[in-house]
């Protein structure tokens, strides 16, 4: 049902890029790059009940389950999500997201994502 959907934002993982110092030399560190902010509405529930446990097998390290009927949804296990807060970024442009995708379970009519809360500062 449309009224049960919650708005959320997500960023798709693009890869790593080397960090360079002021002289243009690589430092040996890498920065993770994400794509542009995308918005969607999906059903978000607490991670309780046997349906979710069976859906992801014995994996229990998640806090919520996001369910969508959009079978073209590009979210994968490298995606970060702004779920309980509005999108925000630090002064270097790094996202301060609040959830990460842990598992993806696809069926014929829907996709379920197990997500875990994280602290990013």
């Amino acid at each position: 049902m449309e009224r049960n959907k919650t708005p959320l934002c997500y960023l798709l993982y693009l890869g790593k890029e080397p960090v360079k110092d002021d002289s243009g030399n690589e430092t040996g560190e890498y920065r993770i790059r994400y794509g542009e902010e995308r918005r969607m509405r999906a059903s978000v529930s607490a991670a309780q009940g046997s349906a979710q446990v069976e859906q992801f097998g014995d994996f229990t390290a998640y806090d919520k389950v996001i369910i969508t009927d959009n079978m073209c949804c590009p979210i994968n296990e490298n995606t970060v999500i702004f779920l309980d807060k509005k999108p925000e970024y630090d002064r270097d442009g790094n996202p301060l997201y609040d959830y990460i995708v842990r598992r993806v379970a696809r069926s014929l009519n829907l996709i379920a994502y197990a997500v875990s809360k994280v602290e990013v500062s």
Side-chain angles (χ1 to χ4, degrees):
M1 295 179 73
E2 196 63 34
R3 69 179 178 171
N4 293 333
K5 291 184 178 180
T6 302
L8 59 96
C9 293
Y10 64 92
L11 303 174
L12 297 175
Y13 176 80
L14 295 180
K16 295 181 190 178
E17 67 180 3
V19 175
K20 296 183 179 180
D21 61 16
D22 295 336
S23 302
N25 299 316
E26 292 185 10
T27 64
E29 297 177 358
Y30 290 89
R31 177 178 315 146
I32 296 176
R33 293 185 38 234
Y34 293 100
E36 291 186 23
E37 184 180 304
R38 296 186 184 187
R39 298 180 185 277
M40 69 179 284
R41 291 175 44 84
S43 177
V44 179
S45 64
Q48 297 177 354
S50 61
Q52 286 89 2
V53 173
E54 292 172 10
Q55 188 171 19
F56 297 107
D58 292 335
F59 179 72
T60 57
Y62 59 94
D63 298 312
K64 294 185 180 187
V65 176
I66 298 172
I67 299 172
T68 183
D69 59 356
N70 177 0
M71 298 307 290
C72 297
C73 184
I75 294 175
N76 59 35
E77 292 178 354
N78 295 313
T79 303
V80 296
I81 298 175
F82 299 98
L83 185 57
D84 293 337
K85 66 179 188 176
K86 292 183 179 182
E88 59 183 313
Y89 300 84
D90 66 13
R91 63 182 178 176
D92 296 326
N94 298 315
L96 302 174
Y97 50 88
D98 59 343
Y99 283 87
I100 58 171
V101 177
R102 301 294 243 155
R103 294 281 195 271
V104 178
R106 293 180 181 272
S107 70
L108 291 175
N109 299 316
L110 61 89
I111 306 171
Y113 302 99
V115 297
S116 294
K117 185 150 183 80
V118 293
E119 291 289 327
V120 178
S121 56

